[in-house]
Amino acid sequence: MMKIEKEQKIKREYIPVVLAGLILILFATLLVLTINYEPDLTDEINDSEIVENEDLALEKTESKCNTKELQEIVNSAAKISATYSAQEKTIPAPEEIATDPNMEQDEFIYRYLELLIKGITDDIYIEITNNYNNDKKVIKPEEANKNGEYRYEAPTMDVLVTYTVSVYANKYDCAGEVVRKVVFDTRIYNSFKNMLACVMYPNYEKCTTFVTEQLSYDEFFNGLDNYIDKHKGTEDEATANIMNAFLEGNIVTAEDIRADALVSNKKGIKKAFEKIKNNLEFIIIAGVIISIGGLVVVLLIFIRRNKL
């Protein structure tokens, strides 16, 4: 009877030691996760496109500005340029979906096309129209950021759209007069780019971010079959690409797959050393804390044993 009580006492005595050990393990795990953490930069889905501007001819025979003033404004207008890129953001699901017990989805990944207008100054303001929904957006200088840029969400990314940017004078007596007109097109966002096939075969021609024609399911996968047939021996590269995607780091190559040498991968070792170097101060502090924690655990074990 006395022996059973002693065994129970030993278990109770070691509870603080076990808790201290668990906390130590948790801290070490958090240290490793923190060092290996790489933020998910999904603000931009890669590939921005510089638009090809086509200046529309303007006959400026009369102006309320004199020649010097008008030339100053025209010079400012000439600096207007644009790029467009695919973007994504998380948005709340519509109420009818969020409240549907069969859907169980509160958020959606919303993808859209963003136009970045550059070169806006106090001398001018611009107006953007398109041939998709005839929307008209007027952008005043105060709406641009400190770099003279304005981000404009395009009305669609599923069809080719032509945009017209009209540049207006914003000072002198000719304020409100059009001094430049530019037209440019945006291409179609390729939704197939997000599929696993494009992770495996990123060089497949139908895996570009933007296309000039909407692709069908059959067009994409029939073309993929032809691509694989023409590029025999790409299975190792495809496997490496998948592994890289899941590891969130470019540390696996086709040679590693063939040689089965993932453990001795030089890129992986180099990346590990770079991470250690970049987090050296944090690692030293954490190492000291872990060492002190380990010493505390040892002391607790020693003290408990001497009490028993």
Side-chain angles (χ1 to χ4, degrees), residues 126-175:
I126 64 176
E127 177 186 272
I128 302 177
T129 57
N130 65 78
N131 66 344
Y132 175 73
N133 61 1
N134 296 318
D135 181 41
K136 182 186 294 185
K137 173 64 179 176
V138 177
I139 303 171
K140 297 290 187 178
E142 57 268 23
E143 296 180 76
N145 62 22
K146 62 181 181 180
N147 297 319
E149 300 172 343
Y150 183 86
R151 297 180 183 274
Y152 170 68
E153 184 176 325
T156 183
M157 63 191 312
D158 299 325
V159 297
L160 296 172
V161 179
T162 298
Y163 294 87
T164 300
V165 178
S166 301
V167 186
Y168 292 83
N170 195 44
K171 67 178 186 178
Y172 301 136
D173 292 337
C174 55

Side-chain angles (χ1 to χ4, degrees), residues 2-280:
M2 292 295 294
K3 184 178 180 181
I4 295 175
E5 290 178 355
K6 187 174 183 180
E7 288 177 353
Q8 291 176 345
K9 182 179 180 181
I10 291 173
K11 292 180 180 179
R12 287 196 301 269
E13 291 291 336
Y14 272 89
I15 288 176
V17 178
V18 173
L19 289 175
L22 290 174
I23 292 172
L24 194 61
I25 293 171
L26 177 62
F27 187 84
T29 303
L30 290 174
L31 171 63
V32 173
L33 291 175
T34 301
I35 293 174
N36 285 284
Y37 172 72
E38 294 182 8
D40 183 18
L41 304 177
T42 54
D43 284 342
E44 186 169 356
I45 319 174
N46 296 323
D47 295 342
S48 62
E49 295 284 323
I50 300 175
V51 301
E52 294 183 4
N53 296 334
E54 179 185 345
D55 278 74
L56 300 179
L58 284 179
E59 292 186 7
K60 198 68 179 170
T61 55
E62 294 183 5
S63 176
K64 293 181 179 179
C65 283
N66 59 43
T67 303
K68 182 179 179 181
E69 293 171 340
L70 184 60
Q71 188 60 51
E72 178 185 339
I73 295 172
V74 168
N75 289 340
S76 295
K79 297 176 183 178
I80 292 291
S81 64
T83 61
Y84 64 93
S85 59
Q87 301 285 335
E88 66 178 23
K89 58 185 175 182
T90 303
I91 61 172
E95 185 177 354
E96 60 271 17
I97 294 178
T99 56
D100 188 343
N102 297 321
M103 298 293 291
E104 296 183 354
Q105 188 168 0
D106 297 326
E107 296 178 330
F108 280 112
I109 297 297
Y110 170 64
R111 294 186 173 91
Y112 62 98
L113 204 65
E114 180 182 82
L115 305 182
L116 178 60
I117 310 298
K118 304 176 182 180
I120 303 173
T121 67
D122 292 337
D123 294 350
I124 55 177
Y125 68 91
I126 64 176
E127 177 186 272
I128 302 177
T129 57
N130 65 78
N131 66 344
Y132 175 73
N133 61 1
N134 296 318
D135 181 41
K136 182 186 294 185
K137 173 64 179 176
V138 177
I139 303 171
K140 297 290 187 178
E142 57 268 23
E143 296 180 76
N145 62 22
K146 62 181 181 180
N147 297 319
E149 300 172 343
Y150 183 86
R151 297 180 183 274
Y152 170 68
E153 184 176 325
T156 183
M157 63 191 312
D158 299 325
V159 297
L160 296 172
V161 179
T162 298
Y163 294 87
T164 300
V165 178
S166 301
V167 186
Y168 292 83
N170 195 44
K171 67 178 186 178
Y172 301 136
D173 292 337
C174 55
E177 293 181 10
V178 181
V179 293
R180 185 186 179 203
K181 275 196 175 184
V182 177
V183 62
F184 64 87
D185 298 322
T186 56
R187 293 187 288 164
I188 301 168
Y189 177 69
N190 181 15
S191 58
F192 287 103
K193 180 179 173 62
N194 302 307
M195 300 190 70
L196 183 60
C198 287
V199 174
M200 297 173 66
Y201 301 101
N203 294 325
Y204 171 41
E205 59 272 13
K206 290 183 172 59
C207 281
T208 57
T209 303
F210 297 102
V211 292
T212 55
E213 294 181 357
Q214 193 69 266
L215 295 173
S216 68
Y217 184 91
D218 289 339
E219 285 175 328
F220 180 82
F221 283 101
N222 289 339
L224 180 62
D225 290 338
N226 293 332
Y227 177 85
I228 296 173
D229 289 339
K230 291 178 181 178
H231 298 80
K232 295 294 185 182
T234 57
E235 293 81 3
D236 293 331
E237 283 85 353
T239 303
N241 289 336
I242 292 177
M243 294 186 69
N244 288 332
F246 281 104
L247 291 171
E248 294 185 352
N250 188 22
I251 63 172
V252 184
T253 66
E255 287 70 26
D256 298 324
I257 304 296
R258 299 187 188 105
D260 194 21
L262 296 180
V263 176
S264 61
N265 183 269
K266 293 182 180 179
K267 288 185 179 179
I269 294 173
K270 182 179 179 181
K271 186 175 182 181
F273 275 115
E274 287 177 352
K275 286 188 175 182
I276 291 173
K277 182 180 178 181
N278 294 335
N279 296 275
L280 187 59

